[in-house]
Amino acid sequence: MSGLLIVGAGGHGKVVADAALVRGSWEEIAFVDDRAIEIQSVLSLQVLGTTALLSGLRGRFSAAIVAIGGASERIRLLEHCRTLGFELPPVVHPSATVSRFASLEVGCVVCAQAVVNPGSRLGAGCIVNTAASVDHDCELGSGVHVCPGARLAGNVRVGNRTWIGIASCVRQGVEIGSDVMVAAGSVVVADVTSGLTIMGVPARPKEESK
């Protein structure tokens, strides 16, 4: 039992805090957020101040989780917390199912009713959001966000910082590059080049779908 510091007190921070509270693995849970003047508490948990206080809070909190939606900023703050000496455990809601044959790197969040199946590997700071699923032998780069209700079939590869939109589906064996935005409700049936925004059924680059 030790303290958990949640970096980010917005909507995602609230979800992460709820999962951490349900787990009951930490004696104390609190937030830091750069909007600390506006937000003083979340779910009755105190917002202690801005991210500038992180180094001074290391003695009080042994662990930290970055709960910010933007992938680049999430990874930057995750690395900052690592350099300060925080433990960076994954936070997994008790109702989620994560295979003992899957691997989660530091700072991952797996939300309520989500599934991560055997052989899958999640890079640092990934989010598998509410009721999303990552099937067998998938590989997710750092900072990937699989949004609520999204489905990744087996052997899918996803590059760093890619966003898989709510209720979208990715066919087995597809490879998606880095910094891709998959729009909500899309069906991805072919490989996707890095940096694209794709949408539709089947999903196509934004310019082609107009």
Side-chain angles (χ1 to χ4, degrees):
M1 298 285 285
S2 58
L4 176 69
L5 192 61
I6 301 174
V7 183
H12 183 53
K14 184 182 293 185
V15 171
V16 172
D18 181 65
L21 287 166
V22 174
R23 288 206 70 84
S25 299
W26 293 278
E27 293 176 345
E28 181 181 11
I29 300 172
F31 292 92
V32 292
D33 192 291
D34 287 338
R35 301 166 300 155
I37 295 175
E38 305 168 25
I39 308 171
Q40 297 183 350
S41 69
V42 175
L43 303 183
S44 300
L45 301 173
Q46 189 176 4
V47 180
L48 299 174
T50 69
T51 54
L53 298 178
L54 279 168
S55 60
L57 291 168
R58 174 60 187 85
R60 178 174 168 185
F61 296 88
S62 62
I65 185 80
V66 181
I68 292 174
S72 294
E73 183 67 359
R74 184 164 71 254
I75 295 302
R76 184 189 73 79
L77 284 167
L78 192 64
E79 288 303 315
H80 181 52
C81 289
R82 190 203 301 263
T83 63
L84 293 174
F86 285 98
E87 298 171 16
L88 302 169
V91 173
V92 179
H93 193 282
S95 70
T97 300
V98 176
S99 169
R100 63 192 178 101
F101 301 106
S103 65
L104 276 60
E105 290 192 21
V106 296
C108 288
V109 173
V110 183
C111 296
Q113 299 181 357
V115 177
V116 179
N117 272 334
S120 286
R121 300 187 299 274
L122 277 59
C126 285
I127 302 168
V128 182
N129 220 316
T130 309
S133 62
V134 176
D135 219 300
H136 66 88
D137 301 304
C138 290
E139 185 170 343
L140 277 58
S142 62
V144 171
H145 187 165
V146 184
C147 291
R151 300 281 185 255
L152 272 58
N155 292 294
V156 168
R157 303 288 182 268
V158 183
N160 299 332
R161 300 173 301 279
T162 284
W163 176 283
I164 309 294
I166 189 169
S168 57
C169 300
V170 182
R171 192 182 70 179
Q172 69 273 12
V174 165
E175 183 169 345
I176 300 174
S178 298
D179 300 300
V180 170
M181 177 72 72
V182 178
S186 298
V187 177
V188 184
V189 297
D191 293 351
V192 182
T193 304
S194 294
L196 292 180
T197 295
I198 61 171
M199 58 180 62
V201 182
R204 298 188 177 111
K206 184 177 180 181
E207 295 74 15
E208 297 178 13
S209 61
K210 291 180 179 178

